[in-house]
Amino acid sequence: MVEQFQNHITPDSQWSTYEANVQSYRGLSMSAQSLYLAVGAILLGLGDKVPFFTVFVLAMVTTWYVFFPVIFARTAVVDFHKFNFGERFSKDGALRTAREDSKLSERAYANVLGGRRLRANVASNIDMPPGQNFRTMRQTRLKLDVFIPASMTVVWCIFAVYFAVFK
């Protein structure tokens, strides 16, 4: 498994290393979107439909297929290491007993498509103040990792509708 090769990073610094990776991915995502939007605006002005819609599709694929799942998975990995989930939870997301061998794996917890139920199991076993639940997508992450890409998507859709209807 991947976990066996990660011993070169001390447990104390693992979460901060992964958090730095998340920040890099966010920056790369915004750089890519900025370039796509600049090229899209130029093509919009020139009236070239095929190149414009090609860049539009590339921008959407880059945002929602490449960066969103990667950033989401990396934020889950940050939580995994920051809150020491591997030592605290079993492979099914229950609290571990002292003798239990099955540890929660980083890969299973961070799985974007298949890890939802597992993350919910872990979250249900975390003591939180009354009325609060533990979530991977907390308020700041929602703003940075969902709202900003969604607003870029809205800008792209406005460009595309304008181009399709008025050009």
Side-chain angles (χ1 to χ4, degrees):
M1 292 304 245
V2 173
E3 288 84 6
Q4 70 188 1
F5 300 109
Q6 295 176 338
N7 295 331
H8 65 284
I9 303 173
T10 64
D12 295 340
S13 66
Q14 249 179 336
W15 78 268
S16 61
T17 300
Y18 288 114
E19 180 64 28
N21 289 342
V22 169
Q23 300 307 326
S24 294
Y25 296 150
R26 285 176 178 151
L28 285 170
S29 174
M30 287 307 299
S31 296
Q33 278 303 316
S34 297
L35 289 171
Y36 283 135
L37 278 172
V39 171
I42 291 167
L43 293 171
L44 183 69
L46 295 175
D48 291 334
K49 285 191 179 193
V50 172
F52 172 83
F53 284 106
T54 302
V55 173
F56 169 74
V57 168
L58 289 172
M60 295 300 99
V61 168
T62 301
T63 299
W64 298 110
Y65 180 72
V66 176
F67 282 110
F68 180 79
V70 167
I71 291 171
F72 180 85
R74 293 291 102 189
T75 58
V77 170
V78 167
D79 287 349
F80 180 88
H81 291 288
K82 184 176 183 179
F83 300 111
N84 198 20
F85 288 164
E87 296 297 321
R88 294 172 52 202
F89 296 97
S90 67
K91 65 181 177 182
D92 62 354
L95 288 170
R96 284 183 68 209
T97 60
R99 290 179 269 145
E100 192 170 7
D101 288 333
S102 69
K103 289 183 180 181
L104 177 64
S105 80
E106 172 188 300
R107 178 172 285 205
Y109 184 78
N111 185 315
V112 175
L113 299 176
R116 177 176 237 159
R117 181 172 288 146
L118 180 60
R119 285 189 298 277
N121 288 346
V122 169
S124 69
N125 288 308
I126 296 175
D127 288 330
M128 295 291 289
Q132 293 183 11
N133 296 319
F134 183 86
R135 298 179 321 171
T136 302
M137 291 303 284
R138 296 184 284 278
Q139 186 177 13
T140 301
R141 290 178 178 172
L142 278 170
K143 290 176 182 176
L144 294 174
D145 302 334
V146 176
F147 179 74
I148 290 175
S151 64
M152 296 292 246
T153 300
V154 167
V155 170
W156 270 109
C157 288
I158 290 169
F159 278 4
V161 168
Y162 173 79
F163 206 3
V165 173
F166 298 110
K167 287 275 181 168

